[in-house]
Amino acid sequence: MYTCPHCGKPAITVLRKTFLCPGVPVACQSCGKPVKVTYPAWLKAAFPGAAVMVGALLLDSELLMYAASLAGLGLMIGLHLLWVPLVKEQ
């Protein structure tokens, strides 16, 4: 669970944060106030994985291309969960 910037209690689950994007705030499970992620943090976490996925298109082997694409997707999700903080919706 990730903590709410409003109340400091558990706000959302890991699965919910995996799919959380900047344009769609969600309600905290504890206090009900909206929380979101910001575009700059979201893009900063997505860029390395996207770069790996684009680089995978240059590989000759389809197996390596799929493996690199999955690694890029895993990197995008992992960095999003680790680096992108929840912020208060204004």
Side-chain angles (χ1 to χ4, degrees):
M1 295 286 283
Y2 291 89
T3 58
C4 175
H6 295 285
C7 66
K9 294 180 182 174
I12 60 173
T13 64
V14 172
L15 183 62
R16 181 67 182 125
K17 186 170 184 218
T18 301
F19 294 102
L20 186 61
C21 59
V24 184
V26 297
C28 169
Q29 292 178 353
S30 298
C31 68
K33 293 181 180 175
V35 295
K36 66 176 186 173
V37 294
T38 62
Y39 276 105
W42 184 66
L43 289 173
K44 189 187 321 181
F47 183 75
V52 170
M53 293 172 80
V54 169
L57 296 173
L58 303 174
L59 297 173
D60 291 330
S61 168
E62 284 189 18
L63 182 61
L64 287 176
M65 181 176 61
Y66 292 135
S69 294
L70 285 174
L73 179 63
L75 183 61
M76 287 175 76
I77 292 170
L79 292 177
H80 178 73
L81 293 174
L82 293 173
W83 283 358
V84 180
L86 293 176
V87 296
K88 297 176 182 179
E89 170 68 18
Q90 301 297 332

Coordinates of all heavy atoms in Angstrom, one line a residue:
M1 N 0.8 -1.2 0.0 CA 0.0 0.0 0.0 C 0.9 1.3 0.0 O 1.9 1.3 0.6 CB -0.9 0.0 1.2 CG -1.9 -1.1 1.3 SD -3.3 -0.9 0.2 CE -4.3 0.3 1.0
Y2 N 0.4 2.3 -0.7 CA 1.1 3.5 -0.7 C 0.4 4.5 0.2 O -0.9 4.5 0.2 CB 1.2 4.0 -2.2 CG 2.1 3.2 -3.0 CD1 1.6 2.1 -3.7 CD2 3.4 3.5 -3.1 CE1 2.5 1.3 -4.4 CE2 4.3 2.7 -3.8 CZ 3.8 1.6 -4.5 OH 4.7 0.8 -5.2
T3 N 1.1 5.4 0.8 CA 0.5 6.3 1.8 C -0.1 7.5 1.1 O 0.4 8.0 0.1 CB 1.5 6.7 2.9 OG1 2.6 7.4 2.2 CG2 2.0 5.6 3.7
C4 N -1.2 8.0 1.7 CA -1.9 9.2 1.2 C -1.1 10.4 1.6 O -0.7 10.6 2.8 CB -3.3 9.2 1.8 SG -4.3 10.6 1.4
P5 N -1.0 11.4 0.7 CA -0.3 12.6 1.1 C -1.2 13.5 1.9 O -0.8 14.5 2.5 CB 0.0 13.3 -0.3 CG -1.0 12.7 -1.2 CD -1.2 11.3 -0.7
H6 N -2.5 13.2 2.0 CA -3.4 14.0 2.8 C -3.4 13.5 4.3 O -3.2 14.3 5.2 CB -4.9 13.9 2.3 CG -5.1 14.5 1.0 ND1 -5.2 15.8 0.7 CD2 -5.3 13.9 -0.2 CE1 -5.4 16.0 -0.6 NE2 -5.5 14.9 -1.2
C7 N -3.7 12.2 4.5 CA -3.8 11.7 5.8 C -2.7 10.9 6.3 O -2.6 10.6 7.5 CB -5.2 10.9 5.9 SG -5.2 9.4 4.9
G8 N -1.8 10.4 5.5 CA -0.7 9.6 5.9 C -1.0 8.1 6.1 O -0.2 7.4 6.5
K9 N -2.2 7.7 5.8 CA -2.6 6.3 6.0 C -2.6 5.6 4.6 O -2.4 6.3 3.6 CB -4.1 6.3 6.5 CG -4.2 6.8 7.9 CD -5.6 6.8 8.4 CE -5.6 7.4 9.8 NZ -7.0 7.5 10.3
P10 N -2.8 4.3 4.6 CA -2.7 3.6 3.3 C -3.8 4.2 2.3 O -4.9 4.3 2.6 CB -3.1 2.2 3.7 CG -2.7 2.1 5.1 CD -2.9 3.4 5.7
A11 N -3.3 4.5 1.1 CA -4.2 5.1 0.1 C -4.6 4.2 -1.0 O -5.8 4.1 -1.3 CB -3.5 6.3 -0.5
I12 N -3.7 3.6 -1.7 CA -4.0 2.7 -2.8 C -3.1 1.5 -2.8 O -2.0 1.5 -2.2 CB -3.9 3.4 -4.2 CG1 -2.5 4.0 -4.4 CG2 -4.9 4.5 -4.3 CD1 -2.3 4.5 -5.8
T13 N -3.5 0.4 -3.5 CA -2.7 -0.8 -3.6 C -1.7 -0.7 -4.7 O -1.7 0.2 -5.5 CB -3.6 -2.0 -3.9 OG1 -4.2 -1.8 -5.2 CG2 -4.7 -2.2 -2.8
V14 N -0.8 -1.6 -4.7 CA 0.3 -1.7 -5.7 C -0.3 -1.8 -7.1 O 0.1 -1.2 -8.0 CB 1.3 -2.8 -5.4 CG1 2.3 -3.0 -6.5 CG2 2.0 -2.6 -4.1
L15 N -1.3 -2.7 -7.2 CA -2.0 -2.9 -8.5 C -2.6 -1.6 -9.0 O -2.5 -1.3 -10.2 CB -3.0 -4.1 -8.4 CG -3.7 -4.4 -9.7 CD1 -2.7 -4.9 -10.7 CD2 -4.7 -5.5 -9.4
R16 N -3.3 -0.9 -8.1 CA -4.0 0.3 -8.5 C -3.0 1.4 -8.9 O -3.2 2.1 -9.9 CB -4.8 0.8 -7.3 CG -5.6 2.1 -7.7 CD -6.6 1.8 -8.7 NE -7.3 3.1 -9.1 CZ -7.4 3.5 -10.3 NH1 -6.9 2.8 -11.3 NH2 -8.0 4.7 -10.6
K17 N -1.8 1.4 -8.2 CA -0.8 2.4 -8.6 C -0.1 2.1 -9.9 O 0.3 2.9 -10.7 CB 0.3 2.6 -7.5 CG 1.2 3.7 -7.9 CD 2.2 4.1 -6.8 CE 3.0 5.3 -7.3 NZ 4.3 5.2 -6.9
T18 N -0.1 0.8 -10.2 CA 0.5 0.3 -11.5 C -0.2 1.0 -12.7 O 0.4 1.4 -13.7 CB 0.5 -1.2 -11.6 OG1 1.2 -1.8 -10.5 CG2 1.1 -1.7 -12.9
F19 N -1.5 1.1 -12.6 CA -2.3 1.6 -13.7 C -2.7 3.1 -13.5 O -3.4 3.7 -14.3 CB -3.6 0.8 -13.8 CG -3.3 -0.6 -14.3 CD1 -3.4 -1.6 -13.4 CD2 -3.0 -0.8 -15.6 CE1 -3.1 -2.9 -13.8 CE2 -2.7 -2.1 -16.0 CZ -2.8 -3.2 -15.1
L20 N -2.2 3.8 -12.4 CA -2.5 5.2 -12.2 C -1.7 6.1 -13.1 O -0.5 5.9 -13.3 CB -2.1 5.5 -10.7 CG -2.5 6.9 -10.2 CD1 -4.0 7.1 -10.3 CD2 -2.0 7.1 -8.8
C21 N -2.4 7.0 -13.8 CA -1.8 7.9 -14.7 C -2.1 9.3 -14.3 O -3.0 9.6 -13.5 CB -2.2 7.7 -16.1 SG -3.9 7.8 -16.4
P22 N -1.4 10.3 -14.7 CA -1.6 11.7 -14.3 C -3.0 12.3 -14.5 O -3.4 13.1 -13.7 CB -0.5 12.5 -15.1 CG 0.5 11.5 -15.5 CD -0.2 10.2 -15.7
G23 N -3.6 12.0 -15.5 CA -4.9 12.6 -15.8 C -6.1 12.1 -15.0 O -7.2 12.6 -15.1
V24 N -5.9 11.0 -14.2 CA -7.0 10.4 -13.6 C -6.7 10.2 -12.1 O -6.1 9.3 -11.6 CB -7.3 9.0 -14.2 CG1 -8.5 8.4 -13.5 CG2 -7.5 9.1 -15.7
P25 N -7.2 11.2 -11.2 CA -7.0 11.0 -9.8 C -7.9 10.0 -9.2 O -9.0 9.7 -9.8 CB -7.3 12.4 -9.2 CG -8.1 13.1 -10.3 CD -7.8 12.5 -11.6
V26 N -7.5 9.3 -8.2 CA -8.3 8.3 -7.5 C -8.5 8.7 -6.0 O -7.7 9.5 -5.5 CB -7.7 6.9 -7.6 CG1 -7.6 6.5 -9.0 CG2 -6.3 6.9 -6.9
A27 N -9.5 8.2 -5.4 CA -9.8 8.5 -4.0 C -8.9 7.6 -3.1 O -8.8 6.4 -3.4 CB -11.3 8.3 -3.7
C28 N -8.4 8.2 -2.0 CA -7.7 7.5 -1.0 C -8.7 6.5 -0.3 O -9.8 6.8 -0.1 CB -7.2 8.5 0.0 SG -6.5 7.7 1.5
Q29 N -8.2 5.3 -0.1 CA -9.1 4.3 0.6 C -9.3 4.6 2.1 O -10.3 4.2 2.6 CB -8.4 2.9 0.5 CG -8.4 2.4 -0.9 CD -7.7 1.0 -1.0 OE1 -7.2 0.5 0.0 NE2 -7.8 0.4 -2.2
S30 N -8.5 5.5 2.7 CA -8.7 5.8 4.1 C -9.5 7.1 4.3 O -10.5 7.0 5.0 CB -7.3 6.0 4.7 OG -6.6 4.8 4.7
C31 N -9.2 8.2 3.6 CA -9.9 9.4 3.8 C -10.8 9.8 2.7 O -11.6 10.7 2.9 CB -8.9 10.5 4.1 SG -7.8 11.0 2.7
G32 N -10.7 9.2 1.5 CA -11.5 9.5 0.4 C -11.1 10.7 -0.4 O -11.7 11.1 -1.4
K33 N -10.1 11.4 0.0 CA -9.6 12.6 -0.8 C -8.8 12.1 -2.0 O -8.2 11.1 -2.0 CB -8.7 13.5 0.1 CG -9.5 14.2 1.2 CD -8.6 15.0 2.0 CE -9.4 15.7 3.2 NZ -8.6 16.5 4.0
P34 N -8.9 12.9 -3.1 CA -8.2 12.5 -4.4 C -6.7 12.6 -4.3 O -6.2 13.6 -3.8 CB -8.8 13.4 -5.4 CG -9.3 14.6 -4.7 CD -9.6 14.2 -3.3
V35 N -6.0 11.6 -4.8 CA -4.6 11.6 -5.0 C -4.3 11.3 -6.5 O -5.1 10.7 -7.2 CB -3.9 10.5 -4.1 CG1 -4.1 10.9 -2.6 CG2 -4.4 9.1 -4.3
K36 N -3.1 11.7 -6.9 CA -2.7 11.5 -8.3 C -1.2 11.4 -8.4 O -0.5 11.5 -7.4 CB -3.2 12.6 -9.2 CG -2.6 14.0 -8.9 CD -3.1 15.0 -9.8 CE -2.3 16.3 -9.6 NZ -2.6 17.3 -10.6
V37 N -0.7 11.2 -9.6 CA 0.7 11.3 -9.9 C 0.9 12.5 -10.9 O 0.0 12.8 -11.6 CB 1.3 10.0 -10.5 CG1 1.3 8.9 -9.5 CG2 0.6 9.6 -11.7
T38 N 2.1 13.1 -10.9 CA 2.3 14.3 -11.8 C 2.9 13.8 -13.1 O 3.6 12.7 -13.2 CB 3.2 15.3 -11.1 OG1 4.5 14.6 -10.9 CG2 2.7 15.8 -9.8
Y39 N 2.7 14.6 -14.1 CA 3.2 14.3 -15.5 C 4.8 14.2 -15.5 O 5.3 13.2 -16.0 CB 2.8 15.3 -16.5 CG 1.4 15.0 -17.1 CD1 0.3 15.7 -16.7 CD2 1.2 13.9 -18.0 CE1 -0.9 15.4 -17.2 CE2 0.0 13.6 -18.5 CZ -1.1 14.4 -18.1 OH -2.3 14.1 -18.6
P40 N 5.5 15.2 -14.9 CA 7.0 15.1 -14.9 C 7.5 13.8 -14.3 O 8.4 13.1 -14.9 CB 7.4 16.3 -14.2 CG 6.3 17.3 -14.3 CD 5.1 16.4 -14.3
A41 N 7.0 13.4 -13.1 CA 7.5 12.2 -12.5 C 7.1 11.0 -13.2 O 7.9 10.0 -13.4 CB 6.9 12.1 -11.0
W42 N 5.9 11.0 -13.8 CA 5.4 9.8 -14.6 C 6.2 9.6 -15.8 O 6.6 8.5 -16.2 CB 3.9 10.1 -14.9 CG 3.2 9.0 -15.6 CD1 2.9 7.8 -15.2 CD2 2.7 9.1 -17.0 NE1 2.2 7.1 -16.1 CE2 2.0 7.9 -17.2 CE3 2.7 10.1 -17.9 CZ2 1.4 7.6 -18.4 CZ3 2.0 9.8 -19.1 CH2 1.4 8.6 -19.4
L43 N 6.5 10.7 -16.5 CA 7.4 10.6 -17.7 C 8.8 10.2 -17.4 O 9.4 9.5 -18.2 CB 7.3 12.0 -18.5 CG 6.0 12.3 -19.2 CD1 6.1 13.7 -19.7 CD2 5.7 11.3 -20.3
K44 N 9.3 10.8 -16.3 CA 10.7 10.4 -15.9 C 10.8 8.9 -15.7 O 11.8 8.3 -16.0 CB 11.1 11.2 -14.7 CG 12.6 11.1 -14.4 CD 13.0 11.7 -13.1 CE 12.4 13.0 -12.7 NZ 12.9 13.5 -11.4
A45 N 9.8 8.3 -15.1 CA 9.8 6.9 -14.8 C 9.6 6.0 -16.1 O 10.1 4.9 -16.2 CB 8.8 6.5 -13.7
A46 N 8.8 6.6 -17.0 CA 8.4 5.8 -18.2 C 9.5 5.9 -19.3 O 9.6 4.9 -20.1 CB 7.1 6.4 -18.8
F47 N 10.3 6.9 -19.3 CA 11.3 7.1 -20.4 C 12.3 6.0 -20.5 O 12.5 5.5 -21.7 CB 12.0 8.4 -20.3 CG 12.9 8.7 -21.4 CD1 12.4 9.0 -22.7 CD2 14.3 8.6 -21.3 CE1 13.3 9.3 -23.7 CE2 15.1 8.8 -22.3 CZ 14.6 9.2 -23.5
P48 N 13.0 5.5 -19.5 CA 14.0 4.4 -19.7 C 13.4 3.1 -20.2 O 14.0 2.5 -21.1 CB 14.5 4.2 -18.3 CG 14.3 5.5 -17.5 CD 13.0 6.0 -18.1
G49 N 12.2 2.7 -19.7 CA 11.6 1.5 -20.3 C 11.1 1.7 -21.7 O 11.3 0.8 -22.5
A50 N 10.6 2.9 -22.0 CA 10.2 3.1 -23.4 C 11.4 3.1 -24.3 O 11.3 2.6 -25.5 CB 9.5 4.5 -23.5
A51 N 12.6 3.6 -23.9 CA 13.8 3.6 -24.7 C 14.2 2.2 -25.0 O 14.7 1.8 -26.1 CB 14.9 4.4 -24.0
V52 N 14.1 1.3 -24.0 CA 14.5 -0.1 -24.2 C 13.5 -0.7 -25.2 O 14.0 -1.5 -26.0 CB 14.5 -0.9 -22.8 CG1 14.6 -2.4 -23.0 CG2 15.6 -0.4 -21.9
M53 N 12.3 -0.4 -25.1 CA 11.3 -1.0 -26.0 C 11.5 -0.5 -27.4 O 11.4 -1.3 -28.4 CB 9.9 -0.7 -25.5 CG 9.5 -1.4 -24.2 SD 8.0 -0.9 -23.5 CE 6.9 -1.8 -24.5
V54 N 11.9 0.7 -27.6 CA 12.2 1.3 -29.0 C 13.4 0.6 -29.5 O 13.5 0.2 -30.6 CB 12.3 2.8 -28.9 CG1 12.8 3.3 -30.3 CG2 10.9 3.4 -28.7
G55 N 14.4 0.5 -28.6 CA 15.7 -0.2 -29.0 C 15.5 -1.6 -29.4 O 16.2 -2.2 -30.2
A56 N 14.5 -2.3 -28.8 CA 14.2 -3.7 -29.1 C 13.7 -3.8 -30.6 O 13.9 -4.9 -31.2 CB 13.1 -4.2 -28.2
L57 N 13.2 -2.8 -31.1 CA 12.7 -2.9 -32.5 C 13.9 -3.0 -33.5 O 13.7 -3.4 -34.6 CB 11.9 -1.6 -32.9 CG 10.6 -1.4 -32.1 CD1 10.0 -0.1 -32.4 CD2 9.7 -2.6 -32.4
L58 N 15.1 -2.6 -33.0 CA 16.3 -2.7 -33.9 C 17.0 -4.1 -33.9 O 17.9 -4.3 -34.6 CB 17.3 -1.6 -33.5 CG 16.7 -0.2 -33.5 CD1 17.8 0.8 -32.9 CD2 16.4 0.2 -34.9
L59 N 16.5 -5.0 -33.0 CA 17.1 -6.3 -32.9 C 16.7 -7.2 -34.1 O 15.5 -7.1 -34.6 CB 16.8 -6.9 -31.6 CG 17.3 -6.2 -30.4 CD1 16.7 -6.8 -29.1 CD2 18.8 -6.2 -30.3
D60 N 17.5 -8.0 -34.5 CA 17.2 -8.9 -35.7 C 16.4 -10.1 -35.2 O 15.6 -10.6 -36.0 CB 18.5 -9.4 -36.3 CG 19.2 -8.3 -37.1 OD1 18.6 -7.4 -37.5 OD2 20.5 -8.3 -37.1
S61 N 16.7 -10.6 -34.1 CA 16.0 -11.8 -33.6 C 14.6 -11.5 -33.0 O 14.5 -10.6 -32.1 CB 16.8 -12.5 -32.5 OG 16.1 -13.5 -31.9
E62 N 13.6 -12.2 -33.4 CA 12.2 -11.9 -32.8 C 12.2 -12.2 -31.4 O 11.6 -11.5 -30.6 CB 11.2 -12.7 -33.6 CG 10.8 -12.0 -34.9 CD 9.6 -12.7 -35.5 OE1 8.8 -13.3 -34.8 OE2 9.4 -12.5 -36.7
L63 N 12.9 -13.3 -31.0 CA 12.9 -13.7 -29.6 C 13.5 -12.7 -28.7 O 13.0 -12.3 -27.6 CB 13.6 -15.1 -29.4 CG 13.6 -15.7 -28.0 CD1 12.2 -15.9 -27.5 CD2 14.5 -16.9 -28.0
L64 N 14.7 -12.1 -29.2 CA 15.3 -11.1 -28.4 C 14.5 -9.8 -28.4 O 14.5 -9.1 -27.4 CB 16.7 -10.8 -29.0 CG 17.8 -11.8 -28.8 CD1 19.1 -11.4 -29.5 CD2 18.1 -12.0 -27.3
M65 N 13.8 -9.5 -29.5 CA 12.9 -8.3 -29.5 C 11.8 -8.5 -28.5 O 11.5 -7.5 -27.8 CB 12.4 -8.2 -30.9 CG 11.5 -7.0 -31.1 SD 10.9 -6.7 -32.8 CE 9.9 -8.2 -33.1
Y66 N 11.2 -9.6 -28.4 CA 10.1 -9.8 -27.4 C 10.6 -9.8 -26.0 O 10.0 -9.2 -25.1 CB 9.4 -11.1 -27.7 CG 8.6 -11.1 -29.0 CD1 8.6 -12.2 -29.8 CD2 7.8 -10.0 -29.3 CE1 7.9 -12.2 -31.0 CE2 7.1 -10.0 -30.5 CZ 7.1 -11.1 -31.3 OH 6.4 -11.1 -32.5
A67 N 11.8 -10.4 -25.8 CA 12.4 -10.4 -24.5 C 12.8 -9.0 -24.0 O 12.5 -8.6 -22.9 CB 13.6 -11.3 -24.4
A68 N 13.3 -8.2 -24.9 CA 13.7 -6.8 -24.6 C 12.5 -5.9 -24.4 O 12.5 -5.1 -23.5 CB 14.6 -6.2 -25.7
S69 N 11.4 -6.2 -25.2 CA 10.2 -5.4 -25.0 C 9.6 -5.7 -23.6 O 9.1 -4.8 -22.9 CB 9.2 -5.8 -26.1 OG 9.7 -5.3 -27.3
L70 N 9.6 -7.0 -23.2 CA 9.1 -7.4 -21.9 C 9.9 -6.8 -20.8 O 9.4 -6.3 -19.8 CB 9.0 -8.9 -21.7 CG 7.8 -9.5 -22.5 CD1 7.9 -11.0 -22.4 CD2 6.5 -9.0 -21.9
A71 N 11.2 -6.8 -21.0 CA 12.1 -6.1 -20.0 C 11.9 -4.6 -19.9 O 11.9 -4.1 -18.8 CB 13.6 -6.4 -20.4
G72 N 11.6 -4.0 -21.0 CA 11.3 -2.6 -21.0 C 10.0 -2.3 -20.3 O 9.9 -1.3 -19.5
L73 N 9.0 -3.1 -20.5 CA 7.7 -3.0 -19.8 C 7.9 -3.2 -18.3 O 7.4 -2.4 -17.5 CB 6.7 -4.0 -20.4 CG 5.3 -4.0 -19.7 CD1 4.6 -2.6 -20.0 CD2 4.5 -5.1 -20.3
G74 N 8.7 -4.2 -18.0 CA 8.9 -4.4 -16.5 C 9.7 -3.2 -15.9 O 9.4 -2.9 -14.8
L75 N 10.6 -2.7 -16.7 CA 11.3 -1.5 -16.2 C 10.4 -0.3 -16.0 O 10.5 0.4 -15.0 CB 12.5 -1.1 -17.1 CG 13.4 0.0 -16.8 CD1 14.1 -0.3 -15.5 CD2 14.4 0.3 -17.9
M76 N 9.5 -0.1 -16.9 CA 8.5 1.0 -16.8 C 7.7 0.8 -15.6 O 7.5 1.8 -14.8 CB 7.6 1.1 -18.1 CG 8.3 1.6 -19.3 SD 7.2 1.5 -20.7 CE 6.2 2.9 -20.4
I77 N 7.2 -0.3 -15.4 CA 6.3 -0.6 -14.2 C 7.1 -0.5 -12.9 O 6.6 0.2 -11.9 CB 5.6 -2.0 -14.3 CG1 4.6 -2.0 -15.5 CG2 4.9 -2.4 -13.0 CD1 4.1 -3.3 -15.8
G78 N 8.3 -1.1 -12.9 CA 9.1 -1.0 -11.7 C 9.5 0.4 -11.3 O 9.3 0.8 -10.1
L79 N 9.9 1.2 -12.2 CA 10.3 2.6 -11.9 C 9.0 3.4 -11.5 O 9.1 4.3 -10.7 CB 11.0 3.2 -13.1 CG 12.3 2.7 -13.5 CD1 12.9 3.3 -14.7 CD2 13.3 2.8 -12.3
H80 N 7.9 3.1 -12.1 CA 6.7 3.8 -11.8 C 6.3 3.6 -10.3 O 6.0 4.5 -9.5 CB 5.5 3.4 -12.7 CG 4.2 4.1 -12.4 ND1 3.9 5.4 -12.6 CD2 3.1 3.6 -11.8 CE1 2.7 5.7 -12.2 NE2 2.2 4.6 -11.7
L81 N 6.4 2.3 -9.9 CA 6.1 1.9 -8.5 C 7.1 2.5 -7.5 O 6.8 2.9 -6.4 CB 6.0 0.4 -8.4 CG 4.9 -0.2 -9.1 CD1 4.9 -1.7 -9.0 CD2 3.5 0.3 -8.6
L82 N 8.4 2.6 -7.9 CA 9.4 3.1 -7.0 C 9.6 4.6 -6.9 O 9.8 5.2 -5.9 CB 10.8 2.4 -7.3 CG 10.8 0.9 -7.1 CD1 12.2 0.4 -7.7 CD2 10.7 0.6 -5.7
W83 N 9.5 5.2 -8.1 CA 9.9 6.7 -8.2 C 8.8 7.6 -8.2 O 9.0 8.8 -7.9 CB 10.7 6.9 -9.5 CG 12.1 6.4 -9.5 CD1 12.8 5.9 -8.4 CD2 13.0 6.5 -10.5 NE1 14.1 5.6 -8.8 CE2 14.3 5.9 -10.1 CE3 13.0 6.9 -11.8 CZ2 15.4 5.8 -10.9 CZ3 14.1 6.8 -12.6 CH2 15.3 6.3 -12.2
V84 N 7.6 7.2 -8.6 CA 6.5 8.2 -8.8 C 5.7 8.3 -7.5 O 5.0 7.4 -7.1 CB 5.6 7.8 -10.0 CG1 4.5 8.8 -10.2 CG2 6.4 7.6 -11.3
P85 N 5.8 9.5 -6.9 CA 5.1 9.7 -5.6 C 3.6 10.1 -5.8 O 3.3 10.6 -6.9 CB 5.8 10.8 -4.9 CG 6.3 11.6 -6.1 CD 6.6 10.7 -7.2
L86 N 2.8 9.7 -4.9 CA 1.4 10.2 -4.9 C 1.4 11.6 -4.4 O 2.1 12.0 -3.4 CB 0.6 9.3 -3.9 CG 0.3 7.9 -4.4 CD1 -0.5 7.2 -3.3 CD2 -0.4 7.8 -5.7
V87 N 0.6 12.5 -5.0 CA 0.5 13.9 -4.6 C -1.0 14.2 -4.4 O -1.9 13.5 -4.9 CB 1.1 14.8 -5.6 CG1 2.6 14.6 -5.7 CG2 0.5 14.7 -7.0
K88 N -1.2 15.3 -3.7 CA -2.6 15.8 -3.5 C -3.2 16.3 -4.8 O -2.5 17.0 -5.5 CB -2.6 16.9 -2.4 CG -2.1 16.5 -1.1 CD -2.1 17.6 -0.1 CE -1.5 17.3 1.2 NZ -1.5 18.4 2.1
E89 N -4.4 16.0 -5.0 CA -5.2 16.6 -6.1 C -5.6 18.0 -5.7 O -6.3 18.1 -4.6 CB -6.3 15.7 -6.5 CG -7.3 16.4 -7.5 CD -6.7 16.6 -8.9 OE1 -5.7 16.0 -9.2 OE2 -7.3 17.4 -9.6
Q90 N -5.4 19.0 -6.4 CA -5.7 20.4 -6.0 C -7.2 20.7 -6.4 O -7.7 20.5 -7.3 CB -4.8 21.4 -6.7 CG -3.4 21.2 -6.3 CD -3.1 21.4 -4.8 OE1 -3.8 22.1 -4.1 NE2 -2.1 20.6 -4.3

